[in-house]
Amino acid sequence: MSLPARNASPLPWIAAALLAASALLMWLPALQTPFWGDDYAFLHAAHATNASGAPWWSDFWPASPPRFWRPLSQEGYWRWVDAALGGSAHAAHVVSLVLHLLATLGVALLGFRLARACQWPHAGRIAALAGAVYGALTLHTLPVHWAAAANNAMLTLFTTLLLAAWVSARDAKHATRSVLLASVPLLLALALLSKESAALTPALMLIVSGFVAARRLDRGELVAWLACVAVVAAWLVLRARFTANTDASYAMTLGGNVVRNAASFVAWLLNVPREAMRMAVAGERMQGLAWIAATALPMLAAWGIAGWRGRRLLATRQWLCIAAFAVFAYAPYFLFAWNSYEYYAAIAVVLPVIALARCIATDRLAPVVAVLIAVSSWIAVEGTRRLDHPGLIGRARWAETTLQALARQPVATPLHVQVADEQRFYAIGQMGLAWRLGVAPDTIHRVRECPPSGACLVIDTDGRWRLRPVAGGVQPR
């Protein structure tokens, strides 16, 4: 087949369309996910703040220190969920899916602008493929199924818009160039108010500049970049003022955790879900390893095919920039003492995904790559949804069933709660019980053992529960 004929092939467009349709069908069931975990804490706090009549700017200048200072994507966002959406879980997940779509379009836009800046042919195909691949990755399982993780989609949206403006400004003229460069620090401020890892964006900007061309920044670019550094510095000062000590799981240390997190990073790039990793380490090992293989091997094949077919389409400098981008974007998460989730790699994977799209944009094997990614993602996501405890989404559904049953009967306060499995109970939490039972949080008390008298809720390791009312007697469930 001649080169012009290959370039005219509709197969890459078909691959992008099939993968986008697959991703949409894969994520639609997330709309039925209930609130769980931190969702209730944010919802309860937002409702109380709205009821107090506090002005909107109070979220950006908090009177009491929160654990994380994310006023745009958490405090302010949840006040909007409470006020505008009525605290509806379904509506909140619709918004999460829309945010994921917008983040995916942001990746597509960045892919298009990079293709134009690098003078690659078929910029539209590259953009479509990049967006479709990004939207279909398992990295987004929690941000789509967990309303509290909407901040991650916001981070991706603002970061990709920033990088697209940064790349576009290189070839823009006069007023357009000035507007694009001026928008960069503003978009960075929005990203920082959504999530802390945006502080690494100035480094990513330099890497993207190196990816496009090996030259120094001109005066306008340097001014915009220095403005971004100043924005990060100001944000660091404010964050130190506003935030309290974070959970020990988020402490940064050097030790075996770096090796574990590096292995997790590789797993996230291969579509391996967190539940599969946990199952292989601490659960049913053979089933966990089989699940890992079923997700990783198709994704590894997709990366391998794209890399081999397009190995000469990118310069050595660009391949090095891709690796540097991924590592720098994930840098703080390598040091986390314990917590590691797939969505932490949401920014790190952006440039590799665009490179993958570049490698298959004119290739007849594009549909094969798309099918491999779709198969890998479906196995990962559907398996995660079907997994009961210790699966996160399984716990969320157990929590919803438990809360619905409790809400149908009178529950006296103060209510004592005896829990055998902390991880399972996290899906409900003190705030979940308070919100769904319509009682004040300070009337619910966690105890090691039920007191001799009074209402007490006992939750066993297997999720079965029994409620002892004030008058005596036990109601098993």
Side-chain angles (χ1 to χ4, degrees), residues 56-105:
W56 66 268
W57 52 261
S58 63
D59 299 318
F60 293 81
W61 199 271
S64 57
R67 186 170 64 172
F68 299 106
W69 185 50
R70 300 170 180 171
L72 186 63
S73 66
Q74 286 189 345
E75 290 81 10
Y77 175 74
W78 279 97
R79 287 186 66 176
W80 177 78
V81 169
D82 174 64
L85 304 183
S88 165
H90 178 74
H93 284 97
V94 169
V95 174
S96 292
L97 194 58
V98 170
L99 286 172
H100 173 56
L101 175 61
L102 292 174
T104 297
L105 293 175

Short mmCIF file of all heavy atoms in Angstrom, two decimals, residues 56-105:
data_model
loop_
_atom_site.label_atom_id
_atom_site.label_comp_id
_atom_site.label_asym_id
_atom_site.label_seq_id
_atom_site.Cartn_x
_atom_site.Cartn_y
_atom_site.Cartn_z
N TRP A 56 -19.50 33.03 49.38
CA TRP A 56 -18.78 32.04 48.58
C TRP A 56 -17.28 32.14 48.77
O TRP A 56 -16.56 31.14 48.73
CB TRP A 56 -19.12 32.22 47.10
CG TRP A 56 -18.65 33.52 46.53
CD1 TRP A 56 -19.35 34.69 46.46
CD2 TRP A 56 -17.35 33.79 45.97
NE1 TRP A 56 -18.59 35.68 45.90
CE2 TRP A 56 -17.35 35.17 45.58
CE3 TRP A 56 -16.21 33.04 45.75
CZ2 TRP A 56 -16.25 35.77 45.00
CZ3 TRP A 56 -15.10 33.64 45.17
CH2 TRP A 56 -15.13 34.98 44.79
N TRP A 57 -16.79 33.38 49.01
CA TRP A 57 -15.34 33.53 49.12
C TRP A 57 -14.78 32.94 50.40
O TRP A 57 -13.56 32.76 50.54
CB TRP A 57 -14.93 35.00 49.01
CG TRP A 57 -15.65 35.93 49.95
CD1 TRP A 57 -16.73 36.73 49.67
CD2 TRP A 57 -15.34 36.15 51.34
NE1 TRP A 57 -17.11 37.44 50.78
CE2 TRP A 57 -16.27 37.11 51.81
CE3 TRP A 57 -14.37 35.65 52.19
CZ2 TRP A 57 -16.26 37.55 53.13
CZ3 TRP A 57 -14.35 36.09 53.51
CH2 TRP A 57 -15.29 37.02 53.97
N SER A 58 -15.65 32.61 51.36
CA SER A 58 -15.15 32.04 52.62
C SER A 58 -14.50 30.68 52.40
O SER A 58 -13.66 30.25 53.20
CB SER A 58 -16.30 31.91 53.62
OG SER A 58 -17.30 31.03 53.15
N ASP A 59 -14.87 29.98 51.32
CA ASP A 59 -14.23 28.70 51.01
C ASP A 59 -12.79 28.89 50.57
O ASP A 59 -11.95 27.99 50.74
CB ASP A 59 -15.01 27.96 49.92
CG ASP A 59 -16.44 27.66 50.33
OD1 ASP A 59 -16.63 27.25 51.48
OD2 ASP A 59 -17.35 27.88 49.50
N PHE A 60 -12.50 30.04 49.99
CA PHE A 60 -11.14 30.32 49.52
C PHE A 60 -10.27 30.92 50.63
O PHE A 60 -9.05 30.95 50.49
CB PHE A 60 -11.20 31.29 48.33
CG PHE A 60 -11.83 30.69 47.12
CD1 PHE A 60 -13.22 30.62 46.98
CD2 PHE A 60 -11.06 30.15 46.10
CE1 PHE A 60 -13.80 30.06 45.86
CE2 PHE A 60 -11.64 29.59 44.98
CZ PHE A 60 -13.01 29.53 44.85
N TRP A 61 -10.91 31.39 51.70
CA TRP A 61 -10.18 31.95 52.83
C TRP A 61 -10.79 31.38 54.11
O TRP A 61 -11.48 32.05 54.86
CB TRP A 61 -10.28 33.48 52.82
CG TRP A 61 -9.23 34.16 53.64
CD1 TRP A 61 -9.31 34.49 54.96
CD2 TRP A 61 -7.95 34.61 53.20
NE1 TRP A 61 -8.15 35.09 55.38
CE2 TRP A 61 -7.29 35.19 54.31
CE3 TRP A 61 -7.28 34.57 51.97
CZ2 TRP A 61 -6.01 35.73 54.23
CZ3 TRP A 61 -6.01 35.11 51.89
CH2 TRP A 61 -5.39 35.67 53.00
N PRO A 62 -10.54 30.08 54.36
CA PRO A 62 -11.24 29.39 55.44
C PRO A 62 -10.83 29.89 56.83
O PRO A 62 -9.67 30.22 57.08
CB PRO A 62 -10.83 27.93 55.25
CG PRO A 62 -9.52 27.99 54.53
CD PRO A 62 -9.59 29.19 53.65
N ALA A 63 -11.82 29.93 57.74
CA ALA A 63 -11.55 30.34 59.11
C ALA A 63 -10.89 29.23 59.91
O ALA A 63 -10.08 29.49 60.80
CB ALA A 63 -12.86 30.78 59.77
N SER A 64 -11.24 27.98 59.62
CA SER A 64 -10.63 26.83 60.29
C SER A 64 -9.89 26.00 59.25
O SER A 64 -10.35 25.86 58.11
CB SER A 64 -11.69 25.97 60.99
OG SER A 64 -12.67 25.54 60.06
N PRO A 65 -8.73 25.45 59.60
CA PRO A 65 -7.89 24.78 58.59
C PRO A 65 -8.45 23.44 58.14
O PRO A 65 -8.75 22.57 58.96
CB PRO A 65 -6.55 24.59 59.33
CG PRO A 65 -6.92 24.58 60.78
CD PRO A 65 -8.09 25.49 60.91
N PRO A 66 -8.65 23.25 56.83
CA PRO A 66 -9.04 21.95 56.30
C PRO A 66 -7.81 21.06 56.12
O PRO A 66 -6.67 21.52 56.21
CB PRO A 66 -9.67 22.29 54.95
CG PRO A 66 -8.92 23.51 54.52
CD PRO A 66 -8.59 24.28 55.76
N ARG A 67 -8.06 19.77 55.85
CA ARG A 67 -6.93 18.87 55.61
C ARG A 67 -6.28 19.16 54.27
O ARG A 67 -5.07 19.12 54.12
CB ARG A 67 -7.41 17.41 55.65
CG ARG A 67 -6.28 16.40 55.54
CD ARG A 67 -6.75 15.00 55.83
NE ARG A 67 -7.71 14.53 54.85
CZ ARG A 67 -8.15 13.27 54.80
NH1 ARG A 67 -7.75 12.40 55.71
NH2 ARG A 67 -9.02 12.89 53.88
N PHE A 68 -7.12 19.46 53.26
CA PHE A 68 -6.64 19.87 51.95
C PHE A 68 -7.29 21.22 51.60
O PHE A 68 -8.47 21.41 51.87
CB PHE A 68 -7.01 18.85 50.87
CG PHE A 68 -6.42 17.49 51.09
CD1 PHE A 68 -7.22 16.44 51.53
CD2 PHE A 68 -5.08 17.25 50.87
CE1 PHE A 68 -6.68 15.19 51.73
CE2 PHE A 68 -4.54 15.99 51.07
CZ PHE A 68 -5.34 14.96 51.51
N TRP A 69 -6.51 22.11 51.01
CA TRP A 69 -7.07 23.38 50.59
C TRP A 69 -7.36 23.30 49.09
O TRP A 69 -6.51 23.55 48.26
CB TRP A 69 -6.10 24.53 50.89
CG TRP A 69 -6.67 25.88 50.59
CD1 TRP A 69 -7.88 26.37 50.99
CD2 TRP A 69 -6.07 26.92 49.81
NE1 TRP A 69 -8.07 27.65 50.52
CE2 TRP A 69 -6.97 28.01 49.79
CE3 TRP A 69 -4.86 27.03 49.12
CZ2 TRP A 69 -6.69 29.19 49.11
CZ3 TRP A 69 -4.57 28.20 48.45
CH2 TRP A 69 -5.49 29.28 48.45
N ARG A 70 -8.58 22.88 48.77
CA ARG A 70 -9.03 22.75 47.39
C ARG A 70 -10.39 23.46 47.26
O ARG A 70 -11.42 22.82 47.01
CB ARG A 70 -9.17 21.28 47.00
CG ARG A 70 -7.87 20.48 47.12
CD ARG A 70 -8.14 18.99 46.97
NE ARG A 70 -6.93 18.20 47.07
CZ ARG A 70 -6.92 16.85 47.15
NH1 ARG A 70 -8.06 16.19 47.15
NH2 ARG A 70 -5.78 16.20 47.24
N PRO A 71 -10.41 24.76 47.45
CA PRO A 71 -11.70 25.46 47.53
C PRO A 71 -12.53 25.39 46.28
O PRO A 71 -13.76 25.44 46.33
CB PRO A 71 -11.29 26.91 47.84
CG PRO A 71 -9.88 27.03 47.33
CD PRO A 71 -9.27 25.69 47.57
N LEU A 72 -11.89 25.25 45.12
CA LEU A 72 -12.65 25.21 43.87
C LEU A 72 -13.29 23.85 43.66
O LEU A 72 -14.45 23.75 43.26
CB LEU A 72 -11.75 25.57 42.70
CG LEU A 72 -12.43 25.71 41.33
CD1 LEU A 72 -13.45 26.83 41.35
CD2 LEU A 72 -11.38 25.94 40.24
N SER A 73 -12.55 22.79 43.93
CA SER A 73 -13.01 21.45 43.58
C SER A 73 -13.61 20.67 44.75
O SER A 73 -14.16 19.59 44.54
CB SER A 73 -11.85 20.63 43.00
OG SER A 73 -10.85 20.41 43.99
N GLN A 74 -13.51 21.20 45.96
CA GLN A 74 -14.09 20.49 47.10
C GLN A 74 -15.10 21.36 47.84
O GLN A 74 -16.30 21.19 47.66
CB GLN A 74 -12.98 19.99 48.05
CG GLN A 74 -12.23 18.80 47.47
CD GLN A 74 -11.29 18.13 48.45
OE1 GLN A 74 -10.95 18.67 49.48
NE2 GLN A 74 -10.84 16.94 48.10
N GLU A 75 -14.63 22.30 48.65
CA GLU A 75 -15.58 23.09 49.45
C GLU A 75 -16.59 23.83 48.56
O GLU A 75 -17.80 23.71 48.73
CB GLU A 75 -14.83 24.07 50.35
CG GLU A 75 -14.08 23.41 51.49
CD GLU A 75 -12.74 22.84 51.07
OE1 GLU A 75 -12.30 23.12 49.93
OE2 GLU A 75 -12.12 22.12 51.87
N GLY A 76 -16.09 24.62 47.63
CA GLY A 76 -16.98 25.36 46.75
C GLY A 76 -17.81 24.45 45.87
O GLY A 76 -19.01 24.69 45.65
N TYR A 77 -17.20 23.39 45.36
CA TYR A 77 -17.91 22.45 44.50
C TYR A 77 -19.05 21.78 45.25
O TYR A 77 -20.18 21.67 44.74
CB TYR A 77 -16.93 21.41 43.97
CG TYR A 77 -17.57 20.30 43.16
CD1 TYR A 77 -18.03 20.55 41.87
CD2 TYR A 77 -17.73 19.03 43.69
CE1 TYR A 77 -18.63 19.54 41.12
CE2 TYR A 77 -18.32 18.02 42.95
CZ TYR A 77 -18.78 18.28 41.67
OH TYR A 77 -19.36 17.29 40.94
N TRP A 78 -18.79 21.34 46.49
CA TRP A 78 -19.83 20.64 47.24
C TRP A 78 -20.93 21.58 47.71
O TRP A 78 -22.09 21.17 47.85
CB TRP A 78 -19.20 19.88 48.41
CG TRP A 78 -18.63 18.59 47.95
CD1 TRP A 78 -17.33 18.32 47.62
CD2 TRP A 78 -19.35 17.38 47.73
NE1 TRP A 78 -17.20 17.01 47.21
CE2 TRP A 78 -18.42 16.41 47.27
CE3 TRP A 78 -20.68 17.01 47.88
CZ2 TRP A 78 -18.80 15.11 46.96
CZ3 TRP A 78 -21.06 15.71 47.57
CH2 TRP A 78 -20.11 14.77 47.12
N ARG A 79 -20.60 22.84 47.93
CA ARG A 79 -21.67 23.80 48.24
C ARG A 79 -22.60 23.93 47.04
O ARG A 79 -23.83 24.06 47.20
CB ARG A 79 -21.06 25.16 48.60
CG ARG A 79 -20.41 25.20 49.97
CD ARG A 79 -19.95 26.60 50.32
NE ARG A 79 -21.08 27.52 50.48
CZ ARG A 79 -20.96 28.79 50.87
NH1 ARG A 79 -19.75 29.28 51.14
NH2 ARG A 79 -22.02 29.56 50.99
N TRP A 80 -22.03 23.86 45.84
CA TRP A 80 -22.86 23.93 44.63
C TRP A 80 -23.68 22.64 44.49
O TRP A 80 -24.87 22.70 44.12
CB TRP A 80 -21.96 24.14 43.42
CG TRP A 80 -22.70 24.15 42.13
CD1 TRP A 80 -23.45 25.17 41.60
CD2 TRP A 80 -22.78 23.07 41.18
NE1 TRP A 80 -23.99 24.80 40.39
CE2 TRP A 80 -23.60 23.52 40.11
CE3 TRP A 80 -22.25 21.79 41.13
CZ2 TRP A 80 -23.87 22.72 39.02
CZ3 TRP A 80 -22.53 20.99 40.04
CH2 TRP A 80 -23.33 21.45 38.99
N VAL A 81 -23.09 21.48 44.78
CA VAL A 81 -23.83 20.22 44.72
C VAL A 81 -25.01 20.25 45.68
O VAL A 81 -26.12 19.81 45.35
CB VAL A 81 -22.90 19.03 45.05
CG1 VAL A 81 -23.70 17.75 45.26
CG2 VAL A 81 -21.88 18.83 43.94
N ASP A 82 -24.81 20.79 46.87
CA ASP A 82 -25.88 20.87 47.86
C ASP A 82 -26.96 21.87 47.44
O ASP A 82 -28.15 21.57 47.49
CB ASP A 82 -25.30 21.27 49.22
CG ASP A 82 -26.38 21.50 50.26
OD1 ASP A 82 -27.10 20.54 50.59
OD2 ASP A 82 -26.51 22.65 50.72
N ALA A 83 -26.52 23.06 47.00
CA ALA A 83 -27.49 24.12 46.71
C ALA A 83 -28.18 23.95 45.37
O ALA A 83 -29.40 24.10 45.27
CB ALA A 83 -26.78 25.48 46.75
N ALA A 84 -27.42 23.62 44.33
CA ALA A 84 -27.98 23.56 42.98
C ALA A 84 -28.51 22.17 42.61
O ALA A 84 -29.47 22.06 41.86
CB ALA A 84 -26.92 23.99 41.96
N LEU A 85 -27.90 21.12 43.14
CA LEU A 85 -28.29 19.76 42.78
C LEU A 85 -29.11 19.09 43.87
O LEU A 85 -29.50 17.93 43.72
CB LEU A 85 -27.06 18.91 42.47
CG LEU A 85 -26.12 19.45 41.37
CD1 LEU A 85 -24.98 18.47 41.13
CD2 LEU A 85 -26.88 19.71 40.08
N GLY A 86 -29.34 19.79 44.97
CA GLY A 86 -30.14 19.22 46.05
C GLY A 86 -29.51 18.03 46.73
O GLY A 86 -30.21 17.20 47.31
N GLY A 87 -28.19 17.93 46.65
CA GLY A 87 -27.51 16.81 47.28
C GLY A 87 -27.82 15.47 46.64
O GLY A 87 -27.74 14.42 47.29
N SER A 88 -28.15 15.47 45.36
CA SER A 88 -28.51 14.24 44.65
C SER A 88 -27.26 13.50 44.18
O SER A 88 -26.42 14.07 43.49
CB SER A 88 -29.39 14.57 43.43
OG SER A 88 -29.47 13.48 42.55
N ALA A 89 -27.16 12.23 44.57
CA ALA A 89 -26.01 11.43 44.14
C ALA A 89 -26.02 11.24 42.62
O ALA A 89 -24.97 11.31 41.97
CB ALA A 89 -26.02 10.08 44.85
N HIS A 90 -27.20 10.97 42.05
CA HIS A 90 -27.28 10.77 40.61
C HIS A 90 -26.83 12.02 39.86
O HIS A 90 -26.04 11.94 38.90
CB HIS A 90 -28.71 10.41 40.21
CG HIS A 90 -28.90 10.22 38.73
ND1 HIS A 90 -28.44 9.11 38.06
CD2 HIS A 90 -29.48 11.03 37.80
CE1 HIS A 90 -28.74 9.22 36.78
NE2 HIS A 90 -29.36 10.38 36.60
N ALA A 91 -27.32 13.18 40.28
CA ALA A 91 -26.93 14.42 39.61
C ALA A 91 -25.44 14.69 39.76
O ALA A 91 -24.78 15.14 38.82
CB ALA A 91 -27.74 15.59 40.18
N ALA A 92 -24.89 14.39 40.94
CA ALA A 92 -23.46 14.60 41.15
C ALA A 92 -22.63 13.71 40.24
O ALA A 92 -21.60 14.13 39.72
CB ALA A 92 -23.10 14.34 42.62
N HIS A 93 -23.09 12.48 40.01
CA HIS A 93 -22.34 11.59 39.13
C HIS A 93 -22.52 11.97 37.66
O HIS A 93 -21.62 11.73 36.85
CB HIS A 93 -22.74 10.14 39.38
CG HIS A 93 -22.14 9.59 40.64
ND1 HIS A 93 -22.81 9.55 41.83
CD2 HIS A 93 -20.90 9.10 40.90
CE1 HIS A 93 -22.03 9.02 42.76
NE2 HIS A 93 -20.86 8.75 42.22
N VAL A 94 -23.64 12.56 37.31
CA VAL A 94 -23.79 13.12 35.96
C VAL A 94 -22.74 14.21 35.75
O VAL A 94 -22.07 14.27 34.71
CB VAL A 94 -25.21 13.68 35.75
CG1 VAL A 94 -25.27 14.49 34.45
CG2 VAL A 94 -26.23 12.55 35.70
N VAL A 95 -22.58 15.08 36.75
CA VAL A 95 -21.57 16.14 36.66
C VAL A 95 -20.18 15.53 36.57
O VAL A 95 -19.34 16.00 35.78
CB VAL A 95 -21.68 17.09 37.87
CG1 VAL A 95 -20.54 18.11 37.85
CG2 VAL A 95 -23.02 17.82 37.86
N SER A 96 -19.90 14.49 37.35
CA SER A 96 -18.59 13.84 37.29
C SER A 96 -18.30 13.30 35.90
O SER A 96 -17.19 13.41 35.39
CB SER A 96 -18.51 12.71 38.33
OG SER A 96 -18.51 13.22 39.63
N LEU A 97 -19.33 12.70 35.27
CA LEU A 97 -19.14 12.16 33.93
C LEU A 97 -18.92 13.29 32.92
O LEU A 97 -18.09 13.17 32.00
CB LEU A 97 -20.35 11.32 33.53
CG LEU A 97 -20.17 10.42 32.30
CD1 LEU A 97 -19.01 9.47 32.48
CD2 LEU A 97 -21.45 9.64 32.02
N VAL A 98 -19.64 14.40 33.08
CA VAL A 98 -19.43 15.56 32.21
C VAL A 98 -18.03 16.12 32.39
O VAL A 98 -17.35 16.48 31.41
CB VAL A 98 -20.49 16.64 32.49
CG1 VAL A 98 -20.15 17.94 31.76
CG2 VAL A 98 -21.87 16.15 32.06
N LEU A 99 -17.56 16.20 33.63
CA LEU A 99 -16.19 16.68 33.89
C LEU A 99 -15.16 15.76 33.25
O LEU A 99 -14.15 16.21 32.71
CB LEU A 99 -15.95 16.78 35.39
CG LEU A 99 -16.64 17.94 36.12
CD1 LEU A 99 -16.48 17.80 37.62
CD2 LEU A 99 -16.08 19.28 35.64
N HIS A 100 -15.43 14.46 33.31
CA HIS A 100 -14.52 13.51 32.64
C HIS A 100 -14.51 13.74 31.13
O HIS A 100 -13.44 13.71 30.50
CB HIS A 100 -14.93 12.08 32.97
CG HIS A 100 -14.17 11.05 32.21
ND1 HIS A 100 -12.79 10.97 32.24
CD2 HIS A 100 -14.59 10.05 31.38
CE1 HIS A 100 -12.39 9.96 31.47
NE2 HIS A 100 -13.46 9.40 30.93
N LEU A 101 -15.67 13.98 30.56
CA LEU A 101 -15.75 14.27 29.13
C LEU A 101 -14.97 15.54 28.79
O LEU A 101 -14.23 15.59 27.80
CB LEU A 101 -17.21 14.40 28.71
CG LEU A 101 -17.46 14.83 27.25
CD1 LEU A 101 -16.86 13.82 26.28
CD2 LEU A 101 -18.95 15.00 27.00
N LEU A 102 -15.12 16.58 29.61
CA LEU A 102 -14.41 17.83 29.37
C LEU A 102 -12.90 17.63 29.48
O LEU A 102 -12.12 18.18 28.69
CB LEU A 102 -14.88 18.90 30.35
CG LEU A 102 -16.32 19.40 30.17
CD1 LEU A 102 -16.69 20.35 31.30
CD2 LEU A 102 -16.49 20.07 28.81
N ALA A 103 -12.48 16.84 30.48
CA ALA A 103 -11.05 16.56 30.61
C ALA A 103 -10.53 15.80 29.39
O ALA A 103 -9.42 16.06 28.90
CB ALA A 103 -10.80 15.75 31.88
N THR A 104 -11.33 14.87 28.88
CA THR A 104 -10.96 14.12 27.68
C THR A 104 -10.84 15.06 26.48
O THR A 104 -9.90 14.94 25.68
CB THR A 104 -12.02 13.04 27.41
OG1 THR A 104 -12.02 12.11 28.50
CG2 THR A 104 -11.71 12.30 26.13
N LEU A 105 -11.77 16.00 26.36
CA LEU A 105 -11.68 16.98 25.27
C LEU A 105 -10.46 17.87 25.45
O LEU A 105 -9.85 18.31 24.46
CB LEU A 105 -12.96 17.81 25.23
CG LEU A 105 -14.23 17.05 24.82
CD1 LEU A 105 -15.45 17.97 24.92
CD2 LEU A 105 -14.10 16.50 23.40
#
